[in-house]
Amino acid sequence: MLDASRRWRVAGRSIGLVPTMGALHAGHLSLVEVARRENDVVVVSVFVNPIQFGPNEDLDHYPRDPARDTALLAEAEVDAIYRPPTEVMYPAGASTRVQVGAVSEPLEGKARPGHFEGVATVVTKLFAAVEPDRAYFGQKDAQQVAVIKQLVRDLDLGVEIRVGPTVREADGLALSSRNVYLSPAERKAAASLSAGLRAAAEAYAAGERDPDRLHGILTGRLDAEPLVSLEYAELVDPATFQKPGNVAVLAARVGKTRLIDNHDVALPFPG
Ligand code: AMP
């Protein structure tokens, strides 16, 4: 809950914040674990941020399980869960929005107009409420990481941004709260995203450097899957999200579910 006394602020004790939208999984908990190691106090925020969802997106259906989240976070020994009610985050009349600029425009920014404005606004507000020394984000949302790093630099927010690796299922599928939407057949087909990333990393390791050929290898697996419809695939620079670069970023619909993933092809694909 919004805690006006900010009980977690104690002089001389470092604070780590892990922002989440709940429906927690092992990816979130891996960030909490690193935060636990690196800080005296760990705060996890759970807030399904309405302003980062587009009008035709899944805000109303987004998975929510507050009791399970609380149990998992108690087990992970977090010090506080910050769950601001929507009307506290966005009271009537609130109109300020944070726009980060160029890095937020291509790819996810283009596919989801207003998404990164919503993310940057809520992260700014969470930082103001919690006053963390460090904040933890997943590499899974690579463009979000780039947007937040730019935001922190540009607004001198003074929060150290720490990035955790993507936690994956045994077949490579990146954990996501949205994976619960997948039917068994879609769940199988969804492994083609990470298979494409793995294939591109293997080709790179074998010496392939031609961006068009790497792109073809990246998308080949997805094109072969009838249940998967590719939205974008690019090889971009991780700070600017412009071409050229080594980070392969993907967005695809698997049935009705929109999934994203990414991997730096110059590094071995895990597992
Ligand atoms: P979300 O609840 O989806 O907003 O995610 C909260 C944080 O967890 C974000 O920083 C995500 O990038 C991160 N995250 C989501 N999925 C994973 C994953 N599979 N591995 C590591 N971190 C993740």
Side-chain angles (χ1 to χ4, degrees):
M1 289 299 295
L2 178 66
D3 185 340
S5 67
R6 293 179 190 165
R7 270 174 296 147
W8 53 75
R9 276 217 80 76
V10 178
R13 305 194 77 202
S14 64
I15 300 172
L17 169 66
V18 185
T20 80
M21 298 204 299
L24 300 178
H25 53 63
H28 299 114
L29 296 174
S30 71
L31 298 177
V32 171
E33 224 178 280
V34 180
R36 183 70 285 167
R37 280 205 300 276
E38 295 184 349
N39 300 276
D40 299 316
V41 175
V42 175
V43 181
V44 175
S45 59
V46 177
F47 180 62
V48 181
N49 178 33
I51 69 165
Q52 74 185 65
F53 288 76
N56 300 315
E57 295 184 0
D58 58 346
L59 173 62
D60 294 341
H61 305 284
Y62 195 81
R64 292 167 169 87
D65 195 342
R68 181 172 170 276
D69 291 345
T70 301
L72 288 169
L73 293 173
E75 209 173 302
E77 299 185 346
V78 312
D79 297 283
I81 306 174
Y82 179 52
R83 278 190 171 107
T86 302
E87 61 279 14
V88 170
M89 274 309 229
Y90 303 113
S95 63
T96 302
R97 294 290 184 268
V98 179
Q99 272 188 4
V100 172
V103 68
S104 67
E105 283 163 13
L107 300 163
E108 280 301 280
K110 205 176 210 170
R112 305 183 67 187
H115 172 67
F116 284 128
E117 187 179 294
V119 169
T121 302
V122 81
V123 167
T124 304
K125 289 174 67 73
L126 291 170
F127 285 4
V130 176
E131 299 184 62
D133 297 281
R134 301 184 187 86
Y136 294 79
F137 295 89
Q139 178 61 31
K140 157 87 174 13
D141 297 282
Q143 194 171 0
Q144 172 170 281
V145 166
V147 166
I148 287 163
K149 284 182 170 172
Q150 180 88 42
L151 164 73
V152 166
R153 268 199 309 280
D154 291 353
L155 296 188
D156 309 314
L157 297 182
V159 177
E160 183 186 344
I161 301 305
R162 306 280 290 137
V163 181
T166 302
V167 177
R168 298 177 180 281
E169 302 279 6
D171 67 355
L173 177 67
L175 297 194
S176 162
S177 304
R178 291 189 168 97
N179 292 351
V180 300
Y181 299 146
L182 300 170
S183 72
E186 290 166 352
R187 167 65 190 81
K188 246 176 133 176
S192 60
L193 276 79
S194 54
L197 296 169
R198 178 189 297 279
E202 284 171 359
Y204 189 97
E208 184 61 80
R209 294 293 183 274
D210 180 76
D212 291 338
R213 280 207 290 272
L214 284 170
H215 186 270
I217 292 162
L218 177 64
T219 56
R221 310 296 170 110
L222 293 110
D223 294 342
E225 275 293 346
L227 292 177
V228 176
S229 144
L230 183 65
E231 215 170 86
Y232 64 71
E234 301 277 6
L235 285 144
V236 298
D237 177 279
T240 62
F241 269 70
Q242 299 294 323
K243 289 189 277 192
N246 283 343
V247 178
V249 289
L250 289 175
R253 291 210 181 257
V254 184
K256 287 195 176 124
T257 305
R258 187 172 183 280
L259 300 179
I260 59 170
D261 201 352
N262 71 89
H263 181 71
D264 180 339
V265 296
L267 302 174
F269 195 84

